[in-house]
Amino acid sequence: MIEKKIGNTPLRRCEHLSNKFSTNIYIKDESCNPGKSSKDRAAYFMLEEAIKGNKIQPGGTIVEASSGNTGISIALMAKELGCRAKIFVSKSCSEEKRALLEAYGASIEICDNSFGLHVFNSTQYQAQAYAANHENAYFTNQYYNSANIKAHYKTTGPEIWEQTNHQVTHVIAGVGTGGTISGIGRYLKEQKKNIKILGVEPTNSVYQTFLEHGKVENTGVVHDAIEGIGRTFIPGTFDVQAVDAIYQIDAESSKRAAQDYRADTDQLIGFSSAAVLAAVEQNLSHMNFKHDDHVVLYFPDHGDRYLQKLYNNNQQETTKAFDIL
C-alpha cells in the first residue's frame, strides 16, 4: 500500500551549504516519497477524508487542479483505490510532469492559468465545474481543503522536530497552496514559539503583501513563473499565524541557483527548491543565521521533473548528474 511508504523522508546535513552560509543547513528531501514529492502527504490525507465521508465511490473520478505534483500523487492513489484521476493543469506545467501524469493513467486538461476559483479559464474553476457536473466525481480542492494543512501538521512538522533532536531554529519553504508551510509552522511553533518559519514565493506573488498588510490588491501583474509556488489569490490553506516572513525571488535567480547547486554537488533540485536556495543567498543578512542554528530547507521534489526548464542549457552535464542520482 502506498500510504505505508509516505513520509519519514530523510533529513540530511548539507556540508556544502553549511559551509557556504556559515551555519547548520539541513535538507528535508521529499523526493523520497512514493510519488517523489511532498504532495503525497496532502493527497493521502485528502483522499482518506473523502473516503471516510463517502464523497467518492469505487469507479469514480478524483479531480484536482494542480501544477503537477499533487496530480501525480492523486493519480497513483486513484489507481490503487479503483478510481480514475482527472487533473487540470496550467500551460506552465512541465513536460516531464505531464508525461508522468499520463503514464500513471490520469486524464489531463490544460488550462490557461491557475488564478483561482473565480476565473473561468483557470485550473481551479474548470476542476470544480467538472466535478459538479459529473456523477461520482470528487474535487479534492487542495487550495481550500484543511486536510492539506493537517497532513503536514501530523507528519512533516513532527518529523522535522524529531530529526533535528528538537534543535530546529528555522524552516524555509516555498509557498504554493500554503498547506505545507502552514502545517509545519503550526506544529513547530507549538513546540517552540521562537522557531522561524520563512516562506519563499516568486516576484509579484501575493503572499508577502498579505502577510504584511492583511490584504491583497489586484495590480494585474502576473508573478514570475516558478512552478509549484506563487499565487494571485490567498488560498484557504494559508495560515498567517504560522509564518514569520515571506521572501520573494525571481525565476532567473532560481534557475541559476539550481544550476550552481548541480555544479557544486552533482544533484538536481526542483524549481521551488532552487527558489528557496536563491532566496537564502539574496537575503542572508536579513535571515541573520547564527553559527549554531539548525536551518531546514524544504525540498519538495526532484530536479528530474524540470530538466527542460532548469537544466537544458547544460544538457550533457545534466545527463551525467542524473545518471549519478
Side-chain angles (χ1 to χ4, degrees):
M1 298 291 286
I2 289 174
E3 65 267 24
K4 293 181 179 179
K5 301 176 182 177
I6 295 172
N8 295 311
T9 54
L11 183 79
R12 57 182 172 83
R13 189 177 191 276
C14 180
E15 295 298 329
H16 167 68
L17 293 178
S18 295
N19 292 332
K20 183 175 183 178
F21 298 134
S22 300
T23 191
N24 299 294
I25 299 290
Y26 299 86
I27 292 172
K28 182 64 168 167
D29 187 0
E30 290 291 278
S31 71
C32 294
N33 282 303
K36 296 187 72 174
S37 87
S38 65
K39 295 299 185 178
D40 284 355
R41 299 177 188 262
Y44 174 72
F45 271 72
M46 291 190 297
L47 292 179
E48 181 184 45
E49 292 198 355
I51 292 167
K52 287 180 178 178
N54 294 315
K55 296 175 181 177
I56 186 75
Q57 303 298 323
T61 303
I62 302 167
V63 183
E64 184 55 278
S66 170
S67 63
N69 281 333
T70 304
I72 291 167
S73 299
I74 285 174
L76 278 170
M77 295 176 203
K79 185 178 294 186
E80 194 167 285
L81 293 169
C83 294
R84 295 181 292 273
K86 180 82 171 178
I87 309 300
F88 291 78
V89 302
S90 68
K91 292 186 292 186
S92 63
C93 180
S94 73
E95 294 178 13
E96 293 87 353
K97 286 181 183 175
R98 293 186 199 180
L100 282 170
L101 283 165
E102 291 176 344
Y104 290 141
S107 172
I108 305 173
E109 293 287 341
I110 300 174
C111 304
D112 287 344
N113 58 66
S114 59
F115 291 171
L117 290 169
H118 304 294
V119 177
F120 176 77
N121 55 348
S122 73
T123 58
Q124 294 88 1
Y125 184 100
Q126 294 298 324
Q128 178 179 247
Y130 182 91
N133 288 286
H134 289 79
E135 188 176 352
N136 197 14
Y138 176 65
F139 178 31
T140 45
N141 196 7
Q142 62 175 323
Y143 295 90
Y144 292 91
N145 193 325
S146 61
N148 185 353
I149 298 178
K150 182 180 178 182
H152 298 284
Y153 178 86
K154 291 289 189 180
T155 68
T156 322
E159 286 174 29
I160 291 172
W161 181 245
E162 293 302 325
Q163 288 173 325
T164 60
N165 294 315
H166 308 173
Q167 296 185 75
V168 56
T169 57
H170 302 72
V171 176
I172 308 175
V175 188
T177 66
T180 299
I181 198 168
S182 297
I184 291 173
R186 279 184 187 177
Y187 179 83
L188 290 179
K189 284 182 175 295
E190 287 177 3
Q191 314 313 307
K192 190 165 64 176
K193 290 183 178 179
N194 63 348
I195 293 175
K196 297 298 183 184
I197 307 297
L198 309 176
V200 176
E201 67 175 348
T203 305
N204 295 318
S205 180
V206 298
Y207 283 112
Q208 185 185 75
T209 298
F210 186 73
L211 185 66
E212 294 176 357
H213 304 290
K215 61 180 180 179
V216 173
E217 294 182 4
N218 186 3
T219 63
V221 178
V222 178
H223 60 74
D224 266 24
I226 299 178
E227 194 166 330
I229 61 173
R231 291 271 77 84
T232 59
F233 64 98
I234 300 298
T237 46
F238 179 65
D239 180 2
V240 294
Q241 301 301 318
V243 182
D244 293 289
I246 301 283
Y247 295 92
Q248 294 198 341
I249 196 70
D250 63 272
E252 288 305 313
S253 296
S254 301
K255 291 177 183 178
R256 286 196 299 273
Q259 293 173 7
D260 289 346
Y261 188 74
R262 181 209 53 79
D264 292 331
T265 67
D266 282 332
Q267 295 180 26
L268 303 179
I269 58 174
F271 215 155
S272 62
S273 304
V276 165
L277 270 186
V280 173
E281 290 174 356
Q282 292 191 14
N283 297 279
L284 194 58
S285 61
H286 296 288
M287 294 180 179
N288 195 30
F289 300 142
K290 299 179 178 62
H291 76 279
D292 57 349
D293 280 343
H294 289 72
V295 180
V296 175
L297 306 186
Y298 192 77
F299 283 11
D301 63 3
H302 195 276
D304 59 4
R305 294 185 173 174
Y306 311 91
L307 294 177
Q308 294 301 315
K309 288 190 173 185
L310 296 181
Y311 303 102
N312 65 351
N313 61 334
N314 287 303
Q315 195 69 45
Q316 185 175 354
E317 292 183 55
T318 296
T319 302
K320 178 181 177 183
F322 183 62
D323 289 340
I324 291 172
L325 296 175

